[in-house]
Amino acid sequence: MTWFETFKGRIVGAPTGNVDRSRYLPGGITQVLLVALAGGLIVISLSTNHQYLATTMIIYSLFAVSANMLLGWAGTPSFGQAAFFGGGSYMVAIWRSHDLNPLALIALAGVLGATMAFVFAIISMRSRGITFAMLTLVFGQVLYQLTFTVKDLGGDNGLPGIPSGSLFGQDLSSSSAFVLYALAIVTICLLLLRRVFGSTFGLTVVAIRDDPVRAAALGASVRMVRIATFTIAGFFSAIAGGLMAQSSGIVTPGNLYWILSGNVVVMCVIGGLYYFWGPVVGAVVFTYLSVSVFQGATYANMYVGGVLLAVVLVFKTGLCGLPLPAAKAARGLVARRRLGRPNADI
Amino acid sequence: MNEFIITMVNGVATGVPLFLIASGLTLIYGVMGVLNFAHGGFFMVGAYLVVLILAHDAVGIWSFLLAVGAAAAALAVIGLVSERGIFSRLYGAGHITNLLASYALLLIINGAVAFSFGPSSRTVETPTVLSGAVRVGDLAQPRYNLFLIAIGIVVATGLWLLLERSSMGCRIRAVAHDRTMARALGIRASRVSVGVFVLGSALAGLAGGLGAPVVSVGPGLDAAFVLQSFAVVIIGGLGSISGALVAAIALGVVDNVLVNYAPGLAGYGVYLTVGVVLLVRPNGLLGRQSESGSEMARL
């Protein structure tokens, strides 16, 4: 049985899954606003040391959700999401001396990412599965290599000195101002994505993942939906990349390297591929682990790999799915006691 | 002309370690459906082991071969453990789950190596007999290149004999072709899987050991090599060993030709080749027109 089959009945967004899921996870607009508000308050109250960490978590949340559009919603494994993220970062970096409005820069980055993703989706149309995963990897690596060949992109040193800019007369260069700015943008983007997820289009994406042949028979245009999914994912990944550039002030080829694509896949899997909010949870946990717990130590990979392996082998639904087996186990316990013998349901 | 021949021979020699890793990768994929990310990690561990065993001394060819053999054997054990512990539990869970599991394994290996050996790069001396160059007329070639090519020929022939001319090979091909049917005929598919995984891992260790004198052994070696060997497997066609051979040599040659004749494009060799091949033949050069592709592509 594949993952997809295992969770067919309770997939988020699938009509049958909606009722069941709402018991375990926050969904809908109101909750999002509440969560954002709560997050914002917590973030502000944190000391200055943690504001950068919080910003990173917020930005990676958007990146992970957009990557999960391909990975979880559409079931097309992409190992090249860093291409769009990095593309957005470099876009912001290249325009750094023009003194543009930061929002305009972010929009520019998004448009670039969407264009790149659109072109790539058309090129890669014919391949599926593993081959497709490798094509995405290759695509990302070509861009990575470009930064070393094209002089203006700065090679290994990257492009330093990116201003955060100012918005509505408010200087964003302080981390306490920037974290609010990032939070606002990411919240808006996530709300938009949530709308997309709940729309007919979102349902079609999930339907195509579960059974492309049947979805096509029901009238879904597999090709168009795939191109559209890619374009939207590219758009929001690039926005995350642009925010990252503004936040850290420097762009390096690391923003394009396939290891970052791998990391974002890890975030999605840890959080739970089949939940809209799964990648957000994954991004927060992953960032916390790699920045705070291991402080960027090279051997941190060992533990990250261990966590990923545990998720793949045991907790297949990721962190967001944990309440599910827990509830099941609890119900099982109750049932067992009532019936007075073990494994009554087998 | 001379320069061209030298470039070609260099290219083939560059291709040999790639072929060794990729043949293991493609064999494992063919039988188990696992595209093993961790193979780059296995390669790195093999290289580190040889560095550790030889410890910077210039040694004779026999002790070098012994060290390489030890690396291959150690990797066979690691392969055995990871197959039993991870991949045998994920049988039938789909390509992507397996890809993620192997990525997790790669991260673990990468972290463990970084933890034990630190961030600095190490080198190992070429064995004394194999250093220096061989001259034929005015053509000069490093001896080590010729040694690598010889090893490549030996391994390729060995693999061919194993797969096409032995009963073990017959079983492997049967499982790769149709696992259910092979089991119905009495082949113990899980044993074949273990055997193939161990063999593939040992080949990666061998490649790492042989590659140690010509690469800089440090963290990041795994990431660099896993990409190249994936490229080889994809270009050659998933599951095809002869495809891997052709693709590895082609990649080595393309790389060297680009470095010599079009330095502006150096570094793009892998990507250009993969891109062009996949656009023309989505299943690779010698890949089967298989389950995954064609039917969906028409939609």
Side-chain angles (χ1 to χ4, degrees):
Chain A
M1 219 193 290
T2 67
W3 272 24
F4 302 153
E5 283 162 355
T6 317
F7 302 110
K8 239 176 200 171
R10 53 180 98 111
I11 282 157
V12 188
T16 49
N18 265 337
V19 188
D20 203 24
R21 171 183 43 106
S22 56
R23 247 187 284 157
Y24 305 110
L25 285 167
I29 304 292
T30 350
Q31 281 93 330
V32 179
L33 288 173
L34 286 176
V35 170
L37 202 65
L41 287 176
I42 296 168
V43 159
I44 301 163
S45 59
L46 290 173
S47 65
T48 353
N49 298 345
H50 294 119
Q51 271 156 352
Y52 185 73
L53 173 69
T55 313
T56 313
M57 284 175 174
I58 291 166
I59 294 172
Y60 276 145
S61 299
L62 177 60
F63 184 32
V65 171
S66 64
N68 197 43
M69 278 189 80
L70 301 176
L71 207 65
W73 306 11
T76 43
S78 163
F79 262 89
Q81 208 58 24
F84 311 126
F85 184 85
S89 297
Y90 272 95
M91 191 67 175
V92 169
I94 288 168
W95 289 80
R96 66 191 182 283
S97 48
H98 289 258
D99 206 23
L100 285 173
N101 186 310
L103 284 179
L105 276 175
I106 292 292
L108 268 179
V111 170
L112 175 78
T115 319
M116 276 164 48
F118 178 74
V119 172
F120 176 72
I122 288 177
I123 295 176
S124 68
M125 212 72 252
R126 285 174 69 196
S127 37
R128 309 275 312 167
I130 295 273
T131 319
F132 174 78
M134 293 305 111
L135 256 187
T136 56
L137 196 59
V138 164
F139 177 69
Q141 285 301 102
V142 169
L143 293 183
Y144 171 74
Q145 204 72 37
L146 265 181
T147 60
F148 294 95
T149 320
V150 180
K151 284 252 158 56
D152 291 338
L153 295 181
D156 238 343
N157 300 325
L159 297 174
I162 302 160
S164 302
S166 60
L167 200 62
F168 310 127
Q170 185 78 44
D171 189 16
L172 294 178
S173 55
S174 80
S175 53
S176 51
F178 195 86
V179 73
L180 287 178
Y181 162 76
L183 185 68
I185 290 186
V186 168
T187 309
I188 293 168
C189 290
L190 285 180
L191 286 176
L192 285 174
L193 278 170
R194 186 67 187 77
R195 286 293 292 187
V196 173
F197 187 63
S199 68
T200 328
F201 173 78
L203 289 179
T204 316
V205 173
V206 175
I208 290 175
R209 173 193 70 194
D210 287 344
D211 195 334
V213 178
R214 189 182 294 177
L218 289 171
S221 165
V222 175
R223 221 168 247 222
M224 292 316 291
V225 169
R226 182 158 154 184
I227 293 178
T229 319
F230 244 92
T231 311
I232 298 173
F235 180 77
F236 287 107
S237 295
I239 285 187
L243 280 177
M244 189 53 110
Q246 291 178 333
S247 156
S248 52
I250 181 172
V251 172
T252 60
N255 287 24
L256 282 166
Y257 199 43
W258 73 269
I259 296 287
L260 179 61
S261 303
N263 283 345
V264 80
V265 170
V266 174
M267 292 174 201
C268 294
V269 175
I270 288 182
L273 283 177
Y274 302 113
Y275 298 92
F276 180 82
W277 298 108
V280 174
V281 175
V284 169
V285 171
F286 183 93
T287 313
Y288 180 72
L289 281 181
S290 59
V291 176
S292 276
V293 179
F294 302 119
Q295 317 203 322
T298 43
Y299 60 83
N301 274 343
M302 199 157 58
Y303 302 102
V304 173
V307 172
L308 180 61
L309 199 58
V311 171
V312 172
L313 284 176
V314 191
F315 312 107
K316 295 181 184 168
T317 41
L319 288 176
C320 275
L322 275 185
L324 224 87
K328 210 174 175 183
R331 251 177 289 160
L333 265 182
V334 174
R336 215 171 286 168
R337 198 164 293 163
R338 202 171 294 156
L339 288 165
R341 60 195 161 95
N343 295 331
D345 51 344
I346 295 174
Chain B
M1 190 59 210
N2 279 348
E3 196 194 341
F4 183 69
I5 294 177
I6 290 176
T7 312
M8 283 303 175
V9 178
N10 263 331
V12 177
T14 321
V16 168
L18 277 183
F19 163 65
L20 293 183
I21 315 181
S23 60
L25 258 183
T26 207
L27 201 60
I28 291 173
Y29 182 83
V31 171
M32 307 174 62
V34 178
L35 190 55
N36 186 14
F37 252 114
H39 243 62
F42 291 174
F43 176 89
M44 177 165 75
V45 173
Y48 262 105
L49 283 175
V50 167
V51 169
L52 273 190
I53 297 171
L54 296 183
H56 298 289
D57 301 327
V59 291
I61 181 159
W62 293 115
S63 32
F64 178 71
L65 284 179
L66 209 64
V68 172
L75 262 302
V77 175
I78 296 181
L80 180 72
V81 173
S82 35
E83 204 279 340
R84 287 286 89 191
I86 302 172
F87 297 106
S88 67
R89 291 164 199 274
L90 288 177
Y91 173 69
H95 293 317
I96 303 311
T97 310
N98 277 302
L99 196 67
L100 290 173
S102 67
Y103 186 67
L105 188 59
L106 174 71
L107 288 180
I108 294 174
I109 292 178
N110 177 293
V113 166
F115 184 69
S116 344
F117 300 104
S120 58
S121 286
R122 298 155 191 242
T123 50
V124 63
E125 300 276 330
T126 318
T128 30
V129 195
L130 297 175
S131 51
V134 180
R135 292 184 178 282
V136 182
D138 30 341
L139 289 177
Q141 264 297 325
R143 279 188 197 174
Y144 199 75
N145 274 356
L146 300 180
F147 169 72
L148 279 181
I149 293 175
I151 296 266
I153 293 172
V154 170
V155 172
T157 322
L159 279 176
W160 181 78
L161 283 176
L162 173 74
L163 285 175
E164 302 290 330
R165 288 286 179 273
S166 76
S167 69
M168 178 71 192
C170 192
R171 285 199 292 272
I172 294 177
R173 277 181 294 142
V175 175
H177 188 75
D178 187 334
R179 194 180 187 101
T180 317
M181 191 55 85
R183 290 186 60 190
L185 292 172
I187 296 171
R188 281 183 277 207
S190 64
R191 283 205 189 176
V192 171
S193 297
V194 177
V196 164
F197 204 93
V198 167
L199 175 66
S201 312
L203 281 172
L206 183 69
L210 290 173
V214 285
V215 296
S216 141
V217 183
L221 192 62
D222 50 349
F225 263 83
V226 81
L227 268 191
Q228 292 193 32
S229 48
F230 271 8
V232 167
V233 171
I234 299 287
I235 293 173
L238 284 162
S240 160
I241 293 205
S242 37
L245 180 63
V246 174
I249 291 176
L251 265 193
V253 169
V254 167
D255 242 11
N256 276 280
V257 167
L258 285 183
V259 169
N260 265 2
Y261 298 102
L265 287 175
Y268 290 101
V270 179
Y271 312 125
L272 283 177
T273 326
V274 173
V276 170
V277 168
L278 283 189
L279 287 181
V280 182
R281 291 184 60 94
N283 286 319
L285 290 177
L286 301 177
R288 282 180 284 176
Q289 288 292 323
S290 66
E291 60 286 339
S292 59
S294 38
E295 155 205 346
M296 276 310 305
R298 264 184 265 120
L299 287 173

